[in-house]
Each structure stands twice: as C-alpha cells, then as structure tokens.
Amino acid sequence: MQEFVATSFKPHRNGLNQVLGELEQEIMEVLWKREDAIVRDVFIELKKKRKIAYTTVMTVMGRLANKGILQKTPKKNSYLYKPVYSKNDFEKCISREVIKGILGNYTQAAVTSFIDVLTEIDPKQIEYLSNLIEEKKKEIKKGDRR
Amino acid sequence: MQEFVATSFKPHRNGLNQVLGELEQEIMEVLWKREDAIVRDVFIELKKKRKIAYTTVMTVMGRLANKGILQKTPKKNSYLYKPVYSKNDFEKCISREVIKGILGNYTQAAVTSFIDVLTEIDPKQIEYLSNLIEEKKKEIKKGDRR
DNA sequence: TTGACATACTACATGCTGTAGTATATACTG
DNA sequence: CAGTATATACTACAGCATGTAGTATGTCAA
C-alpha cells in the first residue's frame, strides 16, 4: 500500500498515462467504467482491442492493488477489484500532489509559470482564478482576525 | 539530445532530485557551482564526501550530456562540461513543464488545487499572485483591442 | 618509455512496467 | 466422479532509467 498516488509524473504524456503505465491506465479505465470487476471482466474487455494474456491482466491488477489504487476483496473463489478513488478524485489527487511538489520546491517560479501557462492554455480561466483568489483573500483575513 | 528537461517528475522528492537521479543531482550541483568542469574536477569534489569511481562520474556526466542538460566540448585530450541552463533557468523549465503538463490535462482541478496549496504553503504569495493576475488581465484586454 | 590521466565500451544491480508461462486449487457440468 | 474451465500464486524475462565500476585503449609529459 503506497502513500501517494503520483509517485512519478510524466508531464509530456497524456491523461492518466502521466502517472500510470499504458496497461495500468487501460485497466483503470475499464474499472472506472464498471465500478468493480474481476480479472476476467477486464481481460475480456481488453481482449477486444488487442492480444493479451489473462495472467498479464491479473499481474498488473495485483500491482495496482499493491499500489493502493485498486481495492481487492475476496469474492467466491476469486477477487473483486474496485477503484479506491473515483476517476475524478484520482485526478484531483494527482493535481494536488504534483502542484504541492512543485510549489513546495519552487514557489516563486511556479507562481509565475502558472499564470503564464494558464493564459496560454485558456485565458478565460484567468477570470475564474481571479475570483477564487478574491475569495481566498477574504478567508485569510477572517483567519487573521480569529 | 532530449527535448525536455522534466521527463519524469517525482513530487515527493526534494529539490532537483524531483527530476534528476541522486548522483546526477550531485554532479549538477558541482557544475553549477563551478560554471564548467572536466570529469576529474567533479570526481575530486564528490570523492571528498564518499567513495566513488572516476568512471562512475564519467558515465553519468556523459548521460547528462546525452540528455541535453550538460554541454560537452572537446578540450585538450578531454572534454569540458558545462550546464546548458543556469540552475535558475533549469528550475524555471521544470516548473513550467510540470505546470503545463498538469494544467493541460486537468485545467479546472489544477487551478483549484493551486490556490489551496499555495495558501497552505505561503499565504503571502496569494497577494503576489493577485497582483500578477491583475496585470495579466490588463495584458489580455490590450491583446483583445488589437 | 613509462606513468598518470582521458575516453569508450561493456556490464551488472535495482526498480518499474509489460508480458506471459507453469503449477496448483477449485468449481461446475455431464 | 472425471474432466474442463477458471482462479490464483509464483516465477521469469525484456526494456528502460539510474548507479556503479571494470577493462581496454589512447595520449601527453617528464
């Protein structure tokens, strides 16, 4: 059971492949679609797209459970696997861990890059950010008074 | 020669060890202190702290050059190594690449986390961020008019 | 010419991920 | 009850990144 979700983050990959391996990701996608599943369910799903061995799927699902990303409970003569986090929560965890990692080390530089990149990607978000900050400021002031 | 500086980012490590291996990091620190160096210079420096082979240092410096983090120029019967980026610029690159990676994939979630984490780490930075945003907004407006 | 020093090349360990075979237990089906 | 399908556990190997270092070989200077 690992402490963190984003042990290693690869910025230049896409989607959850930033923190998961290719196959790990495929498996998680299936799990998130179905809520829970046994190995065979996932195997059948992946088999539709490509050649893969049952044991391959099993091995990786076991690893995902060891990492604390899947939960593994006995069911009949096998195991039922279930995502520990919803996809949404998982993404939030990642974003939080990564941002914490970068802000904690390079606060100033990170703040600057953040604004720049956000403007490049989606200028409209600046407005949203601006509102968030105003709220945050009020909160901080409130905290000061206490 | 690689395209990116932050191929893999480990949020829960410290300093440049987030994107560099332990030894790679030690070597870069020496290089940034001295501007440039040959393998022996770095070797002598590291040797002061721990047992290490000359060729170990050489191998890793070669790898750093392949990654495009060190520049390698012939000098006499050997090579002179020099950081491609100043430490400061390197850190900026990392922060930019990582933030781009996270914002590009989870814009909304990232914006939210960002404010939260920044408040936790250093609430004073919120003020700075706020100013930056106001400036950015003006810039955007100016751009619109053109 | 010899010794110090330089590089190139090779190699192995460890950890992560993808991949899958083998052995073994179990359960359903006829 | 026997046989087949299915489940897991265990083992193993390949490829990549990183740390580590040995060996072979070239070169320069005293």
Side-chain angles (χ1 to χ4, degrees), chain B residues 29-121:
Chain B
E29 294 295 353
V30 175
L31 265 290
W32 277 316
K33 261 188 206 128
R34 311 181 29 117
E35 287 296 304
D36 58 27
I38 58 175
V39 174
R40 184 144 303 265
D41 298 327
V42 178
F43 169 64
I44 289 172
E45 205 54 40
L46 296 187
K47 196 68 179 290
K48 284 180 189 167
K49 296 182 208 158
R50 61 199 191 84
K51 182 182 167 296
I52 191 166
Y54 176 87
T55 48
T56 299
V57 180
M58 194 184 68
T59 304
V60 174
M61 284 175 75
R63 287 179 189 163
L64 286 168
N66 288 337
K67 289 190 190 179
I69 294 175
L70 285 182
Q71 189 194 344
K72 185 177 174 181
T73 34
K75 185 205 172 186
K76 280 211 227 176
N77 59 324
S78 86
Y79 292 100
L80 188 66
Y81 290 81
K82 206 176 154 168
V84 168
Y85 310 92
S86 71
K87 186 171 176 182
N88 208 346
D89 285 350
F90 189 73
E91 292 177 349
K92 275 188 203 159
C93 281
I94 294 172
S95 118
R96 201 162 201 295
E97 285 177 29
V98 170
I99 285 172
K100 195 163 185 172
I102 204 80
L103 268 179
N105 266 282
Y106 321 107
T107 317
Q108 184 79 57
V111 171
T112 314
S113 309
F114 191 82
I115 304 294
D116 289 345
V117 175
L118 187 58
T119 311
E120 284 165 30
I121 288 182

Side-chain angles (χ1 to χ4, degrees), chain A residues 9-113:
Chain A
F9 176 76
K10 310 207 188 287
H12 311 293
R13 294 198 183 160
N14 285 321
L16 291 169
N17 200 218
Q18 286 179 322
V19 294
L20 298 175
E22 199 75 54
L23 177 55
E24 289 178 333
Q25 190 199 195
E26 289 181 73
I27 289 174
M28 288 308 294
E29 294 295 353
V30 175
L31 264 290
W32 277 315
K33 261 187 207 131
R34 311 180 29 117
E35 286 296 305
D36 58 28
I38 58 175
V39 174
R40 185 146 302 265
D41 298 328
V42 178
F43 169 64
I44 288 172
E45 205 54 39
L46 297 187
K47 195 69 178 289
K48 285 180 188 167
K49 297 183 208 157
R50 61 199 191 83
K51 181 183 166 296
I52 192 166
Y54 176 87
T55 48
T56 300
V57 180
M58 193 183 69
T59 304
V60 174
M61 284 175 75
R63 287 178 188 163
L64 286 168
N66 288 336
K67 286 190 191 179
I69 294 175
L70 284 182
Q71 189 195 342
K72 186 179 174 181
T73 34
K75 184 206 172 185
K76 280 211 225 176
N77 58 325
S78 85
Y79 292 100
L80 187 67
Y81 291 81
K82 204 175 154 169
V84 169
Y85 310 92
S86 72
K87 186 170 175 181
N88 207 345
D89 285 350
F90 189 73
E91 292 177 351
K92 276 187 201 159
C93 281
I94 294 170
S95 120
R96 198 161 204 294
E97 284 177 29
V98 170
I99 284 173
K100 194 163 185 173
I102 204 79
L103 269 179
N105 265 284
Y106 321 107
T107 316
Q108 184 79 58
V111 171
T112 315
S113 308

